Amino acid sequence: MRYEAGTYDVIVIGAGHAGVEAALAAARLGCQTLMLTISLDHIAYMPCNPAVGGPAKGNVVREIDALGGEMGRNTDLTYLQMRLLNTGKGPAVHALRAQADKFYYSHRMKETVEATHNLTVRQSMVDELLSEGGRITGVVTHTGATYRAKAVVVTTGTYLRGKIIMGEVQYQSGPSGQLPSLKLTDSLLDHGFQLTRFKTGTPPRVHRDSIDFSATEIQPGDDAFYHFQFSDDVEAREQMPCWLTYTNETTHAVIQENLHRSPMFSGVIEGTGPRYCPSIEDKIVRFAERPSHQIFLEPEGRHTAEYYVQGLSTSLPEEVQLRILRTIKGLENAVMMRPGYAIEYDAIVPTQLQLTLMTKEVEGLFTAGQINGTSGYEEAAGQGLIAGINAAMHALERESVILDRSDAYIAVMIDDLVTKGTNEPYRLLTSRAEYRLILRNDNADLRLMEIGHKIGLVSDERFGRYLQKKEAIEREKGRLRTTRVKADEINPRLTELGSAPIADAVSLEQLLRRPEVAYNVLAEVAPSPEELHPEVAEQVEIQTKYAGYIEKSYLQIEKQKKLELKLIPDDIDYSVIKGLSSESREKMGKIRPRSIGQASRISGVNPADISILMVYLETHGKRSAANV
């Protein structure tokens, strides 16, 4: 029996990492927001690896923070360990990664959403989407409650017709034993959406007391204090180490003996799995020449004995998993607390979305997270933030927010999904970003804080601190340009560093451009008159050392932006444009790119097609103007 249960501006379906960011953003922007979740006890839960960040992903977490999202703050309050990765390489690939306390992370996020003004959180399962005249009007839950809204954000993760698979065992379920969402798929199909079937997996968990840590290699956190937030009031936390061990020939033999029982190889699993996070079975087959693979033992929290066995994702039978574990050094007496499993789920084909993450089929309906074909908490949270912002903008009748690929990894991901689609779970990589020297881990605030403040998610106080930092960077760069140092003052230090001595006085800026000269060397001979924040000094050094490369990147960005600003009318009929290849007509007609820039990134659309399209638009525009 259906009944009218309430009216809201925005409804968010799901309370995972995408859902909480979407709901918080909409509520903080002034929308009456309802977040519906299957389980109030699993808000922002981490069913897989209890970690946040890493290559490209850590950049996303800082971007979320700069735009006014919550993931970075929550991680800083709940991390077990923090490490800056790839420090032996250039700043374009530096990546912050935290091992999180999965239970405390979920607990604090639950506290946050419950305390947020304008946000109502309820435990319920959505079975149906309601629409009228091509516009979303609300949702119906499994109990018959009908909620009305101007915008709806679907963030169902891996719950849509979720199916757990473990060897010969399979059953309908969400992750970690939660209920699956079985009827919402039918509603999406009824609304005309094309769906696909994806799969992901997780490894077994073992009891801490059954691990022989003396047989493994310790992996401590960094001594330096790192955090994701743009903030000075973050407190350091006591860190917990992770531990490294390896598979071996015996491990591989057990897996090989049981491949016929692996759902991946027996044909039981229909969904496509993530290329960049393969199961241990897949690794053994694809990389048969390797004698071993890394296995990291990672704590799941401060108040649990569970350890996550990273690198051993598997869908093999439970008893085989235990045999595999006990072949690994340090795990000979492992007590398995939870077996690993594969989970299949439905996802929407993301080319059915606009760059705002609103669907093309139904106005006011947005999707975010793994339903859009991505993998990873960070990718989900980044999409959730953008979907939540744009759902609020839609409800408030304000202008949508669309980031450029040169603004953020979040924009790279969304553009990739919407423009190219994906035939496997999508994972962000630094190699996906053509402007990765600009989209660094260290400068997310400089790239996005102004946008976050303009949207209304970054407070005036926080924005004021950002402006102070920005001004301090420019002052110090100016000082380096105008301050000169004499040969006798710097040559002894240059000799120590193996750098060529100078004959005449040079500016501090010129010295800092040398690869072997760090900013702290200049501070020794010509210290700044003001006490510089470490982040200011870091920016001064990076911007000075890589000035030439950064300038080239910005020139490339400006060139590309000219194409992004050439907008394509929504009502264009590609079938009447003579000279376009049939593939281009079909794909551009389906994706309906927003601009020439986006059209040029569609797979199968070649430069000749773009030239023809530009000529058509110019001619069409002139004709339209003449008829006015």
Side-chain angles (χ1 to χ4, degrees), residues 418-624:
V418 171
T419 306
K420 302 174 183 177
T422 183
N423 55 12
E424 62 187 50
Y426 176 99
R427 178 178 179 174
L428 262 175
L429 305 166
T430 52
S431 59
R432 295 191 190 274
E434 60 270 45
Y435 308 122
R436 55 187 170 274
L437 184 55
I438 303 299
L439 308 181
R440 302 187 309 274
N441 170 78
D442 58 80
N443 69 348
D445 54 336
L446 297 175
R447 290 185 277 119
L448 297 171
M449 193 75 78
E450 292 182 27
I451 296 174
H453 183 252
K454 183 179 179 181
I455 292 169
L457 290 177
V458 173
S459 68
D460 290 341
E461 184 273 332
R462 198 167 188 234
F463 187 63
R465 287 191 289 109
Y466 155 78
L467 290 177
Q468 291 175 4
K469 173 183 174 179
K470 189 176 178 182
E471 291 164 2
I473 292 168
E474 293 306 314
R475 281 198 306 272
E476 182 62 4
K477 286 168 63 179
R479 185 183 78 88
L480 296 187
R481 281 193 298 270
T482 57
T483 303
R484 300 177 71 81
V485 61
K486 296 177 182 178
D488 60 344
E489 296 174 322
I490 192 64
N491 276 345
R493 192 72 173 92
L494 293 178
T495 301
E496 290 177 15
L497 296 170
S499 186
I502 59 173
D504 300 309
V506 299
S507 69
L508 295 177
E509 181 186 61
Q510 288 174 289
L511 286 172
L512 189 54
R513 285 178 180 169
R514 296 187 176 196
E516 59 275 6
V517 179
Y519 180 83
N520 66 313
V521 174
L522 305 186
E524 295 171 8
V525 295
S528 173
E530 58 180 304
E531 185 176 349
L532 294 184
H533 191 285
E535 290 182 7
V536 172
E538 177 186 44
Q539 283 305 307
V540 169
E541 181 165 357
I542 290 173
Q543 292 181 26
T544 301
K545 283 191 181 300
Y546 297 91
Y549 297 104
I550 291 172
E551 184 178 355
K552 286 180 180 178
S553 292
Y554 279 121
L555 289 174
Q556 185 183 1
I557 289 169
E558 287 304 312
K559 183 178 179 181
Q560 182 63 29
K561 275 191 175 179
K562 292 178 181 178
L563 297 179
E564 304 296 337
L565 292 173
K566 292 183 184 295
L567 301 181
I568 301 174
D570 292 335
D571 60 352
I572 189 171
D573 184 356
Y574 291 99
S575 66
V576 303
I577 304 177
K578 294 180 180 180
L580 282 182
S581 68
S582 58
E583 183 179 6
S584 291
R585 280 199 185 95
E586 178 188 345
K587 290 189 172 179
M588 286 196 282
K590 180 181 178 181
I591 294 173
R592 308 207 67 78
R594 179 173 180 266
S595 67
I596 292 293
Q598 186 184 1
S600 69
R601 293 189 291 274
I602 298 174
S603 176
V605 175
N606 58 52
D609 294 319
I610 295 299
S611 297
I612 292 168
L613 177 59
M614 290 177 70
V615 170
Y616 174 83
L617 289 175
E618 185 177 352
T619 306
H620 182 74
K622 288 178 179 178
R623 287 175 182 169
S624 298

Side-chain angles (χ1 to χ4, degrees), residues 71 125 131 133 153 212 218 239 358 419 421 467 469 533 578:
M71 177 174 262
M125 185 187 300
S131 64
V153 186
D212 180 5
I218 191 169
Q239 300 196 64
M358 184 166 74
T419 306
L467 290 177
K469 173 183 174 179
H533 191 285
K578 294 180 180 180

Side-chain angles (χ1 to χ4, degrees), residues 187-444:
S187 186
L188 287 166
L189 291 171
D190 289 342
H191 279 84
F193 291 105
Q194 181 185 355
L195 303 183
T196 188
R197 193 81 170 155
F198 281 162
K199 157 272 186 194
T200 188
T202 188
R205 274 67 157 181
V206 298
H207 196 291
R208 175 189 57 224
D209 295 345
S210 69
I211 302 171
D212 180 5
F213 290 109
S214 67
T216 65
E217 302 171 29
I218 191 169
Q219 303 287 299
D222 287 346
D223 292 331
F225 177 44
Y226 295 111
H227 49 86
F228 284 105
Q229 294 177 81
F230 173 71
S231 176
D232 284 329
D233 58 5
V234 183
E235 295 183 3
R237 295 171 57 79
E238 181 185 355
Q239 300 196 64
M240 294 179 67
C242 297
W243 306 83
L244 173 63
T245 184
Y246 298 87
T247 63
N248 52 59
E249 292 180 359
T250 306
T251 312
H252 300 184
V254 173
I255 295 169
Q256 289 282 1
E257 290 167 10
N258 289 276
L259 279 179
H260 64 286
R261 301 183 68 190
S262 168
M264 278 194 60
F265 293 93
S266 65
V268 171
I269 290 180
E270 301 172 3
T272 305
R275 179 190 303 265
Y276 300 102
C277 188
S279 68
I280 189 63
E281 304 99 281
D282 198 19
K283 284 191 280 190
I284 296 307
V285 172
R286 286 167 54 189
F287 308 107
E289 74 284 357
R290 294 191 184 179
S292 65
H293 294 275
Q294 288 184 329
I295 300 293
F296 290 93
L297 305 176
E298 303 175 334
E300 295 220 317
R302 294 184 188 275
H303 305 290
T304 177
E306 284 189 83
Y307 267 68
Y308 182 92
V309 188
Q310 185 190 337
L312 209 68
S313 177
T314 182
S315 57
L316 282 164
E318 187 172 352
E319 72 275 14
V320 176
Q321 292 185 36
L322 185 57
R323 285 181 59 198
I324 292 170
L325 284 169
R326 291 181 174 176
T327 66
I328 297 171
K329 198 171 183 180
L331 298 177
E332 292 88 349
N333 299 303
V335 173
M336 186 167 68
M337 298 180 72
R338 305 188 202 211
Y341 58 82
I343 182 169
E344 282 189 343
Y345 57 95
D346 291 334
I348 194 169
V349 175
T351 52
Q352 299 168 104
L353 305 175
Q354 302 175 38
L355 290 171
T356 59
L357 293 182
M358 184 166 74
T359 66
K360 298 170 184 174
E361 193 72 29
V362 181
E363 184 180 342
L365 179 64
F366 298 77
T367 60
Q370 284 185 269
I371 189 175
N372 287 346
T374 57
S375 65
Y377 311 137
E378 304 85 355
E379 288 91 338
Q383 292 173 73
L385 178 61
I386 297 301
I389 289 171
N390 284 321
M393 296 303 179
H394 181 81
L396 298 170
E397 299 183 354
R398 290 171 54 188
E399 185 179 355
S400 299
V401 175
I402 298 176
L403 301 177
D404 292 333
R405 289 180 71 94
S406 57
D407 289 329
Y409 270 97
I410 293 174
V412 171
M413 167 180 58
I414 292 174
D415 184 67
D416 281 352
L417 291 169
V418 171
T419 306
K420 302 174 183 177
T422 183
N423 55 12
E424 62 187 50
Y426 176 99
R427 178 178 179 174
L428 262 175
L429 305 166
T430 52
S431 59
R432 295 191 190 274
E434 60 270 45
Y435 308 122
R436 55 187 170 274
L437 184 55
I438 303 299
L439 308 181
R440 302 187 309 274
N441 170 78
D442 58 80
N443 69 348

Side-chain angles (χ1 to χ4, degrees), residues 130-180:
L130 301 177
S131 64
E132 187 176 326
R135 294 186 178 186
I136 198 74
T137 58
V139 304
V140 181
T141 72
H142 70 300
T143 60
T146 300
Y147 297 99
R148 307 290 176 176
K150 300 173 184 176
V152 172
V153 186
V154 182
T155 68
T156 47
T158 61
Y159 288 78
L160 284 185
R161 289 198 308 131
K163 180 165 66 173
I164 297 292
I165 305 171
M166 224 188 307
E168 298 84 5
V169 176
Q170 53 180 291
Y171 53 92
Q172 290 183 321
S173 175
S176 299
Q178 297 178 67
L179 292 173

